[in-house]
Amino acid sequence: MRYVKPQYYDAFVCIADQCPATCCRGWQIVIDDDALVRYWNEKGEFGNRLKNSIDWESGTFCQYDGRCDFLNDRNLCDIHETLGEGALCDTCRRYPRHVEEFEGVREYSLTLSCPEAARRMLTDSAPMTLVEWETEEEETFEEGFDFLLYTQLADARKVVFRILQDRDVDMRIRMEACLIFAETMQELLDRENYAGVDDWIRIHEADYRRDMELAKVRWEEKEEKRLLQRKKEVEQLKSLEILDPAWAALLEEAESVLCQNGDASYRSLCAEFQEGCGYESGSAKDWALAAEQIAVFFIYTYFCGAVYDGAVYAKIRLMEFSVQWIQELTMVQWHQKGKEQEEGAIISLAYRFAREIEHSDPNRIALEEWLEIN
């Protein structure tokens, strides 16, 4: 078995009641079977509380005002405090750690939806690297797993990493180059031209910058239609399931600031943001660094998952969309806070975006499907 994790994975430590956004609020927490048995058999007063605070039919903790019934007024878990860490269900014990499983490979990551995980990702100035190790453990995987496709995706992901982490190139051009790479790869996969996929990957392994000039031209063309595209995108975001009412208010605010004052106003705001802390500002708080780390996170976590749905292009579009909208939301806050940009604002907006999109499978899948045709 081969294992993979980013270099910052082991450095994560939960900051508990110091966290600005508890993971025990706003989400339905699914309890694994072993934990359910333990909770049912727990004796005494706390055992009675467990029995009365679990929806046994759905296998989830009950919530009140969107908060888990065991989240106390200090934003700490009563199960953890009363029974110890070992009594936590798998969901609570593992979060924000995430695992993607493939045949013979297990990839670990942290989810961007956790504030502390987001802080570690977005404040690390070093390009993300992967730590790999192997064991003699063998695992029987589901029948029908397409190992050839997975191998191609893993090779393609390395190409995308090289493009995204090339800091001599404007980050916006890097993302567009990734889209160009993914478009042709998707077309070849759709035609089941796997030899062509191998050739396309090898071409870019030899020269991953080959599409940069075309990417620059395409990005400039898209910039001319940027506001129109943002209007479509914000409507799509508003159509998804809203997990936190504050997110709905944030989208309304963004739509008002970005979209309702015309193209000239929008371009002026973009130019001011760009000059102050955008991709080319040269600031120590340069947005481009955070954008790169967000982009690499999405590719590492989701790109190889295309082995299950074949949606290579959609995975790249989700990456680009996520970077762009975290930037748009940052730009709105930057505009409304007296044009002062703080590192914490990017982190906050990144994890809030992730909680609504990246951490919600129905929202993420719906968005991927929409992005594939828009």
Side-chain angles (χ1 to χ4, degrees):
M1 176 71 69
R2 181 164 61 90
Y3 296 87
V4 186
K5 62 184 176 184
Q7 84 275 17
Y8 51 73
Y9 182 85
D10 290 336
F12 171 80
V13 177
C14 175
I15 57 175
D17 58 336
Q18 301 303 307
C19 185
T22 175
C23 54
C24 306
R25 178 181 180 276
W27 293 327
Q28 185 180 61
I29 302 171
V30 178
I31 309 169
D32 59 282
D33 291 342
D34 288 344
L36 282 172
V37 171
R38 172 165 185 170
Y39 296 157
W40 181 260
N41 290 326
E42 186 67 32
K43 305 299 182 182
E45 183 179 345
F46 197 77
N48 291 333
R49 182 181 170 190
L50 281 163
K51 292 180 178 65
N52 293 327
S53 299
I54 291 174
D55 183 331
W56 295 95
E57 184 174 346
S58 64
T60 60
F61 289 115
C62 296
Q63 294 187 342
Y64 296 92
D65 294 327
R67 292 168 60 92
C68 174
D69 188 44
F70 291 96
L71 182 64
N72 61 37
D73 57 7
R74 292 174 290 124
N75 277 345
L76 295 173
C77 174
D78 282 338
I79 294 178
H80 186 288
E81 291 196 334
T82 304
L83 302 179
E85 183 178 359
L88 296 177
C89 68
D90 285 347
T91 301
C92 297
R93 187 173 64 257
R94 292 173 180 171
Y95 181 83
R97 300 165 186 86
H98 175 78
V99 181
E100 287 289 328
E101 303 219 11
F102 308 100
E103 186 172 341
V105 181
R106 189 170 294 162
E107 296 190 343
Y108 297 102
S109 64
L110 301 177
T111 64
L112 192 64
S113 57
C114 167
E116 179 61 11
R119 186 189 68 80
R120 290 194 173 275
M121 290 182 219
L122 303 187
T123 58
D124 191 343
S125 60
M128 189 198 81
T129 57
L130 297 177
V131 179
E132 301 187 19
W133 71 101
E134 295 190 7
T135 69
E136 295 182 358
E137 173 189 2
E138 293 185 5
E139 185 174 61
T140 302
F141 209 69
E142 62 185 70
E143 189 174 340
F145 181 82
D146 192 337
F147 191 75
L148 171 61
L149 176 56
Y150 170 75
T151 301
Q152 291 178 321
L153 290 168
D155 290 341
R157 186 173 66 175
K158 292 177 183 177
V159 171
V160 174
F161 282 159
R162 291 183 68 192
I163 295 171
L164 290 175
Q165 294 180 324
D166 186 346
R167 295 182 180 179
D168 291 332
V169 179
D170 187 303
M171 182 62 197
R172 295 164 293 187
I173 309 305
R174 291 181 244 168
M175 291 191 293
E176 192 63 41
C178 291
L179 285 171
I180 294 171
F181 174 71
E183 285 169 5
T184 297
M185 185 172 174
Q186 185 72 67
E187 291 171 4
L188 292 166
L189 286 173
D190 290 345
R191 298 201 305 267
E192 299 184 355
N193 183 355
Y194 301 111
V197 172
D198 283 334
D199 291 341
W200 185 243
I201 293 170
R202 279 197 294 269
I203 288 170
H204 284 79
E205 285 175 336
D207 180 15
Y208 69 88
R209 283 189 171 185
R210 70 189 304 275
D211 301 319
M212 292 301 184
E213 288 303 318
L214 174 58
K216 185 174 186 297
V217 172
R218 286 192 11 168
W219 170 73
E220 289 172 346
E221 291 173 349
K222 286 183 177 180
E223 278 295 287
E224 295 299 315
K225 304 173 184 177
R226 178 171 165 177
L227 178 58
L228 179 61
Q229 182 66 19
R230 292 297 179 268
K231 289 180 177 179
K232 294 178 182 178
E233 291 169 350
V234 75
E235 287 302 320
Q236 176 61 18
L237 285 171
K238 289 165 61 178
S239 74
L240 301 174
E241 179 187 9
I242 300 296
L243 304 180
D244 182 354
W247 174 251
L250 182 61
L251 290 180
E252 292 291 344
E253 184 179 31
E255 184 177 31
S256 175
V257 172
L258 300 174
C259 304
Q260 295 182 356
N261 297 310
D263 193 67
S265 175
Y266 178 69
R267 289 183 181 278
S268 175
L269 176 57
C270 291
E272 290 179 8
F273 177 80
Q274 177 63 38
E275 182 180 356
C277 59
Y279 289 99
E280 300 169 351
S281 70
S283 164
K285 298 175 181 177
D286 193 342
W287 159 252
L289 177 60
E292 177 191 309
Q293 303 292 34
I294 294 168
V296 170
F297 161 78
F298 271 91
I299 296 304
Y300 170 62
T301 306
Y302 296 109
F303 184 78
C304 286
V307 71
Y308 300 114
D309 60 15
V312 170
Y313 177 73
K315 302 292 188 289
I316 300 289
R317 277 287 284 127
L318 177 66
M319 172 273 291
E320 181 202 38
F321 179 91
S322 300
V323 171
Q324 289 176 339
W325 265 98
I326 293 171
Q327 177 202 316
E328 297 293 300
L329 295 172
T330 301
M331 188 164 66
V332 170
Q333 183 154 327
W334 178 84
H335 172 69
Q336 294 187 330
K337 298 290 184 180
K339 299 181 180 178
E340 295 177 357
Q341 176 53 38
E342 297 180 358
E343 189 177 75
I346 297 175
I347 295 170
S348 173
L349 293 165
Y351 75 69
R352 291 180 68 185
F353 175 91
R355 282 177 171 236
E356 295 289 332
I357 307 302
E358 181 251 333
H359 203 76
S360 166
D361 286 342
N363 280 351
R364 179 172 51 80
I365 293 169
L367 185 57
E368 279 189 18
E369 293 174 349
W370 185 84
L371 290 169
E372 199 164 12
I373 58 175
N374 288 276

